[in-house]
Amino acid sequence: MIPSRHRQPESCKNRIIKNALPMEKPTRNLDRLLPDVELIPGIDGYRFADLFLPEKLRNLHDLFLTELGHTQPDLAGRFEHYRQTQGENLSAAEISTLLVEMAPHVGDFVSRLFNVEQERTKQAASIRAEFDSIFIYKNEIAAKVAARFKKEDPSAWDVHELQQQLLLLIRVLLNETPPFTDSEKTVAQVGALLIRLHEHYQALAKGKDGSIADASLETDRITASLAGDATASQSLSAILALEDRSDIIAQLLLIVQRWTWLAMQGRVQTGFDTAGWVAFKFPQKRDFDDLVHHDRREREGFSTWVAPEDGRRLRDGFRLTDPRFNERQSLNEVNHCIYCHERDTDSCSKGMRNKRGGDYKSNPLGSVIIGCPLEEKISEMHVVKRQGDNIGALALIVVDNPNCPGTGHRICNDCMRGCIYQKTEPVNIPQIETNVLTDVLFMPWGFEIYSFLTRWNPLNIKRPYALPYNGKNTLVVGLGPSGYTLSHYLVNEGFGVVGIDALKIEPLPEELVGTETTAPVPVRDFSVLYEDLDKRLLAGFGGVAEYGITVRWDKNFLKVIYLNLARRHTFRCYGGVRFGGTMTIDEAWKTGFDHIAIASGAGKPTIIGLKNNLIRGIRKASDFLMALQLTGAAKHNSLANLQVRLPIGIIGGGLTAIDTTTEVMAYYPVQVEKILRRYTELAEQYGEQQVRAMYDAEELTILDEFLEHGRAIAAERERAGKAGEQPDLQKLIDSWGGVTLFYRKGIKDS
C-alpha cells in the first residue's frame, strides 16, 4: 500500500479548491487503460507501488551498485570514485567515457525490473542490423562512389546488365526476389557483405590482420552459390572464373558500386524505388544567407516569398503535421554524428568557445553558439543509441533533462546550432532525442520506464533517487514549461508542491493518478493514452506549450509530463487559480507555504502602441492562438466563436507570427465548413428565408462569402476523393486572397 500522500495544510487545500474552477471527474472509458497483466517487477521483494516510495528507490539504488560491484568490479570502483568526488578529479572526457560504459548496465537493470529484456534485446538487434547493413553500405560504398568513378564515364556502362546482375546477387545470396519489402536494406545487405570481405582482403594484402576470421569460407560459399545457379553462373561466368578469392569479391563489389553510382544519379531502371533512401542522403552545404528556400510571387504592388511547390505538404485540419523521423532516419542522424565527447569538443552540449577567450563564438547570423542550455549528454546518448540500447540512452538524457517529452523535435534546436558541423547540415539532435523517448514509450510498460527514470537514475550522481518529504511546502505559480520543470525538481528534492495556473486544468482519471491509499494503474501500452491531435481534449496543463505551439509538435507529450507529475505523492495542481486575484501573496503565506515560485511566463500580451490597434478586424496574434486552442474552435463540433476573413495579414516575424500564419490558414476551411453545415441544418429545419431574416445586410454579405467558400471546399474534397488524392485547400485559400506575413526586418532577424 502506498503511504498517504503529503497533505498540504488544510486551510491551504480548502482555499485552493474553493477558488478553483470545478474539477469534474473525467468521464473516459478506462477499460482500455487497464493492463492485460499485472505489472510485477522482475526484482524480488518489490511491487509496482514501491517504485514511487523514496525509501524503496534508495534500496533499489543500493542493489544496483551492489550487483554492479559483483559483475563489473573495475567499473563499479571507477563509478564509486566518480560518485564520491562528484567528478572533481576527472576530466570531462573521462566522465563521458564512464557514463557511456555505465548506461547499458542501467538499461539492463531497468529492463529486468520491468520484465522487458526480450523487447529491449529485439530493439537492440534491429538497430545493430541497420548499422551492419544500411550504414556500412552508405559509409563505405555510397559515400565513396563519386571519387571511385571520377575518371570513368558511366554512360558507357550497361545499365540493364548491372541491374540484372545485382538482382542475381540478391536472389542467390539473400534468397529474395522483387518486389522487395525493404529494397534499401536488401541492396545494403549485399553491399555490406561484399565490402567487408573486400576490406578484409585489402588488409591482408597490406600485411595486416583481416577482420573476418572465416573470410575464405564465406567467399567460397558465395562463389559456390553463384556457380550453382544456372542464370548466375552464366551472367557472372567471367568473374567466377577468377582464381583469386579477393579478385572475385572485388569484381562482385564493383557491380554494386556501379549500380549505386547510377542509382544516386537517378539512372537505374524500374525495380528499385530509391526515393527516401537514407543511404543516398548526404549533408548539404549551408548558406546562411539562404537558409529559408523560397520562390517569389508578385502581388498587387509588392513581391512576396512563397514556399517552393515541390516542398509543400498539403494540410487539412489540425492533425499532427510532422510525424517525426522514423527509426532509420533517426539512426541516419546518429550515423552523421562524430561523437565529439571523446575529445571534450561536444559543442552541441557545451557550446562553441573561442580558443583565445572564454566567451562563445557566434554563427554568421549573429546567434551565440551556447549549445544545449541544459548541457544534455548528447554525444554520449548517440553512442548508446547506436549500440541499440534505448533505455540506457534515455537514462543519459534524463540526467539533465527529465522532462524531455517537452523538448526535442519541433521545440528546441540550440544543440543543432552548436553542432560541430557549421558549414554543412548539422546533426538533427532533437529528432534523435525524441526517437529515443518514443522507442521507450512504445515498449511494454514504456511510460512506466520513462517515469521511473525521472525518480531513479544512478547516472545522476547529484540526485540518483527522489528524497522523502522534508516538511517544506512550495507554491509554484504557473504550470507551463518552467513551472512543471521546477515542480519536478522540487518534488525530487523532497518538497511538497502545489502548482496553480490561471487556465482551467482538466483532471486526469483517478485510476491513472492513484489515491491516498491505492497505487495508480500501471500503463502497459502507451498507445491507449495517445490521441489524435484534432480530437484530443485540451487539458490546459503546460501553459504556452498547450496553447502557443502548433500541431507540428505532438502534444501527447504534454500528457506524459502531466501524468508523471500528477502521480507524485507530494504534488497537487489546480487550475482556474489566478495568483494576485484568486489567491494573494499574503493568503499564500497564511495558508502555510514556505516558498512561492513565480513561473508565470514572460509577461502580459504585447499591446502595440498604435491608435485603433484593437478595432474590428484586428486581433492580437497571441490572442488568436490562445482562442483557437483553448476554446476548441479548431474542432468541427465546437460552437466557439472565432471568426476570421480572407485576405489576412500577419504583422511580425517571430514564432507567434509564424504559428499564427500557419494556423489561420488551417482554421479558415474548418470555419467555413462548420458555418455551411450549420446553415444547411437550420435552413432545413426552419426554412432558409427565416434563417436569413436573422441577419442584417453586412452579416449576410459575410455569410454568403463563407457559404460560397464552404461549398468550394466541399467540391474540392469530392474531386480529391474521386481522384484518390488529398484535397488541395491551399490553392483555394490563395485564390480568396490568402494569408500574408509582413515583417519590417530581414529574414536573418526573424
Side-chain angles (χ1 to χ4, degrees):
M1 180 183 295
I2 294 181
S4 296
R5 296 175 178 224
H6 159 61
R7 296 178 174 84
Q8 306 298 336
E10 195 63 29
S11 57
C12 165
K13 184 176 181 180
N14 289 340
R15 187 179 298 273
I16 291 178
I17 293 177
K18 177 181 177 181
N19 291 319
L21 291 175
M23 299 284 280
E24 306 93 347
K25 186 175 182 179
T27 56
R28 303 183 190 179
N29 181 10
L30 289 174
D31 292 341
R32 67 193 189 105
L33 295 177
L34 299 175
D36 298 331
V37 294
E38 184 182 357
L39 173 52
I40 302 175
I43 295 178
D44 293 340
Y46 291 89
R47 299 163 301 169
F48 175 65
D50 294 335
L51 306 185
F52 295 88
L53 305 180
E55 60 271 24
K56 294 292 187 179
L57 295 177
R58 178 174 181 173
N59 292 343
L60 279 172
H61 180 256
D62 293 342
L63 176 63
F64 169 78
L65 295 179
T66 299
E67 290 184 353
L68 184 69
H70 291 155
T71 59
Q72 300 286 331
D74 177 67
L75 177 60
R78 288 186 287 129
F79 186 67
E80 182 62 23
H81 173 73
Y82 172 49
R83 289 180 61 241
Q84 294 299 329
T85 64
Q86 294 290 294
E88 184 177 342
N89 300 320
L90 297 175
S91 68
E94 289 173 327
I95 293 174
S96 293
T97 299
L98 181 58
L99 291 175
V100 168
E101 290 183 63
M102 284 292 300
H105 296 284
V106 174
D108 289 340
F109 190 86
V110 173
S111 65
R112 176 158 58 96
L113 181 65
F114 287 91
N115 295 300
V116 293
E117 296 105 319
Q118 185 175 356
E119 180 65 26
R120 177 169 173 260
T121 300
K122 187 186 300 182
Q123 279 190 356
S126 176
I127 291 171
R128 289 168 185 163
E130 292 284 283
F131 280 100
D132 288 343
S133 57
I134 299 290
F135 297 105
I136 287 180
Y137 171 68
K138 174 175 182 169
N139 299 337
E140 303 303 326
I141 297 179
K144 298 178 179 180
V145 288
R148 171 75 170 78
F149 301 117
K150 187 176 182 179
K151 298 181 180 180
E152 293 192 35
D153 181 12
S155 63
W157 301 343
D158 188 331
V159 179
H160 177 74
E161 182 181 25
L162 281 172
Q163 176 108 341
Q164 294 307 308
Q165 288 177 333
L166 177 63
L167 288 171
L168 283 172
L169 289 176
I170 292 172
R171 177 169 62 80
V172 175
L173 300 184
L174 301 182
N175 195 29
E176 290 189 37
T177 57
F180 303 115
T181 304
D182 184 346
S183 60
E184 181 178 19
K185 191 166 188 176
T186 298
V187 173
Q189 286 176 316
V190 171
L193 171 62
L194 295 175
I195 193 67
R196 281 196 294 258
L197 288 168
H198 179 64
E199 291 176 345
H200 169 84
Y201 289 123
Q202 281 188 319
L204 293 180
K206 295 177 182 179
K208 300 179 181 179
D209 292 333
S211 57
I212 304 177
D214 55 352
S216 297
L217 293 176
E218 183 67 17
T219 303
D220 291 343
R221 182 191 70 81
I222 293 172
T223 304
S225 298
L226 293 172
D229 183 275
T231 306
S233 63
Q234 181 178 356
S235 177
L236 304 173
S237 58
I239 297 176
L240 298 175
L242 296 173
E243 295 184 1
D244 195 295
R245 291 188 179 98
S246 64
D247 292 337
I248 294 174
I249 294 299
Q251 290 302 307
L252 293 176
L253 176 61
L254 186 59
I255 294 171
V256 179
Q257 290 171 323
R258 283 180 168 169
W259 179 91
T260 299
W261 183 228
L262 292 174
M264 293 174 68
Q265 296 176 320
R267 295 176 54 189
V268 297
Q269 298 179 347
T270 57
F272 293 92
D273 182 8
T274 60
W277 281 23
V278 302
F280 293 170
K281 181 183 182 298
F282 294 97
Q284 302 299 307
K285 290 185 178 180
R286 278 202 294 177
D287 182 356
F288 281 92
D289 292 323
D290 188 28
L291 286 178
V292 181
H293 303 299
H294 61 277
D295 296 331
R296 289 185 179 272
R297 180 180 299 166
E298 296 303 319
R299 300 285 291 275
E300 299 174 358
F302 60 94
S303 178
T304 60
W305 286 14
V306 295
E309 290 286 345
D310 59 357
R312 298 185 181 186
R313 285 195 301 254
L314 296 179
R315 181 172 172 185
D316 184 8
F318 288 85
R319 294 184 294 272
L320 182 65
T321 60
D322 188 345
R324 304 183 293 273
F325 279 179
N326 60 32
E327 184 76 15
R328 184 169 297 168
Q329 291 170 318
S330 299
L331 294 179
N332 186 49
E333 298 300 321
V334 174
N335 180 68
H336 184 26
C337 180
I338 58 174
Y339 317 120
C340 304
H341 70 273
E342 297 171 350
R343 299 170 296 281
D344 192 23
T345 56
D346 44 340
S347 52
C348 56
S349 174
K350 302 167 186 173
M352 192 171 290
R353 293 189 176 275
N354 287 306
K355 294 181 179 180
R356 297 181 180 179
D359 57 333
Y360 294 99
K361 293 181 180 179
S362 297
N363 67 17
L365 296 178
S367 298
V368 181
I369 306 174
I370 62 170
C372 175
L374 303 176
E375 295 190 5
E376 190 177 300
K377 292 163 181 55
I378 295 168
S379 179
E380 297 92 331
M381 175 264 290
H382 290 175
V383 170
V384 178
K385 171 71 176 180
R386 185 182 184 116
Q387 295 169 354
D389 185 5
N390 282 304
I391 297 177
L394 182 61
L396 282 168
I397 295 171
V398 170
V399 170
D400 306 293
N401 187 11
N403 286 313
C404 57
T407 59
H409 175 49
R410 287 297 188 188
I411 296 296
C412 49
N413 69 346
D414 287 297
C415 53
M416 286 182 69
R417 288 197 292 178
C419 179
I420 195 69
Y421 295 114
Q422 291 289 308
K423 296 182 179 180
T424 58
E425 292 176 315
V427 178
N428 197 323
I429 298 162
Q431 288 275 18
I432 302 171
E433 179 191 286
T434 302
N435 173 263
V436 169
L437 172 66
T438 53
D439 272 4
V440 172
L441 285 177
F442 285 98
M443 294 174 70
W445 311 114
F447 170 80
E448 304 300 347
I449 292 172
Y450 158 73
S451 177
F452 178 69
L453 286 172
T454 66
R455 304 186 299 273
W456 180 96
N457 187 354
L459 301 183
N460 184 354
I461 59 170
K462 293 181 179 179
R463 181 59 58 229
Y465 48 84
L467 299 181
Y469 175 55
N470 61 23
K472 298 292 184 179
N473 305 316
T474 300
L475 177 68
V476 175
V477 180
L479 285 172
S482 60
Y484 65 63
T485 300
L486 176 62
S487 296
H488 165 82
Y489 281 107
L490 288 172
V491 169
N492 268 11
E493 290 297 322
F495 288 87
V497 177
V498 171
I500 60 174
D501 199 283
L503 296 179
K504 180 184 178 182
I505 297 178
E506 295 290 339
L508 292 167
E510 186 178 87
E511 289 83 351
L512 281 180
V513 177
T515 68
E516 299 282 351
T517 57
T518 59
V521 172
V523 179
R524 175 180 174 79
D525 184 0
F526 176 68
S527 64
V528 302
L529 298 178
Y530 201 87
E531 299 174 282
D532 293 334
L533 294 196
D534 56 346
K535 299 175 183 176
R536 69 181 282 269
L537 177 68
L538 294 170
F541 178 88
V544 68
E546 174 69 280
Y547 66 77
I549 299 176
T550 70
V551 291
R552 293 191 302 274
W553 181 61
D554 192 342
K555 294 187 181 181
N556 282 286
F557 291 137
L558 276 179
K559 185 184 295 183
V560 175
I561 298 171
Y562 182 16
L563 178 57
N564 186 38
L565 195 55
R567 284 176 161 190
R568 304 302 296 271
H569 294 175
T570 55
F571 176 80
R572 295 289 187 277
C573 71
Y574 301 95
V577 181
R578 186 176 293 277
F579 190 66
T582 313
M583 170 177 279
T584 67
I585 188 170
D586 289 334
E587 289 176 321
W589 297 132
K590 290 178 182 178
T591 50
F593 288 109
D594 301 285
H595 307 280
I596 299 174
I598 306 298
S600 55
K604 298 179 180 178
T606 301
I607 304 296
I608 300 173
L610 298 175
K611 292 182 179 180
N612 301 322
N613 75 94
L614 287 176
I615 62 174
R616 186 175 60 166
I618 296 179
R619 188 163 196 154
K620 294 293 175 284
S622 57
D623 177 51
F624 168 79
L625 288 175
M626 184 177 287
L628 177 70
Q629 301 285 348
L630 297 183
T631 66
K635 292 182 170 61
H636 284 276
N637 59 355
S638 169
L639 293 173
N641 181 21
L642 179 61
Q643 180 176 300
V644 294
R645 290 183 72 188
L646 297 174
I648 295 171
I650 310 294
I651 301 174
L655 290 174
T656 301
I658 297 294
D659 282 353
T660 301
T661 303
T662 61
E663 298 312 277
V664 76
M665 283 191 289
Y667 174 64
Y668 186 78
V670 174
Q671 170 190 269
V672 296
E673 285 182 302
K674 286 196 294 186
I675 290 174
L676 175 61
R677 184 177 68 253
R678 292 169 187 167
Y679 178 84
T680 302
E681 292 173 354
L682 289 171
E684 289 176 353
Q685 184 171 356
Y686 299 105
E688 189 168 8
Q689 185 175 357
Q690 183 176 348
V691 173
R692 295 182 69 84
M694 295 188 295
Y695 299 98
D696 61 27
E698 182 185 13
E699 291 171 336
L700 285 173
T701 300
I702 298 173
L703 173 63
D704 289 339
E705 177 184 301
F706 288 169
L707 293 176
E708 178 187 352
H709 292 174
R711 294 185 183 106
I713 290 173
E716 168 60 16
R717 291 192 185 282
E718 183 179 0
R719 181 208 64 78
K722 291 179 179 178
E725 301 172 354
Q726 187 173 349
D728 189 350
L729 305 183
Q730 188 61 47
K731 285 186 178 179
L732 291 175
I733 292 173
D734 290 343
S735 69
W736 298 326
V739 181
T740 307
L741 184 146
F742 299 93
Y743 188 46
R744 62 190 174 91
K745 298 181 181 180
I747 192 66
K748 290 183 179 181
D749 304 301
S750 174

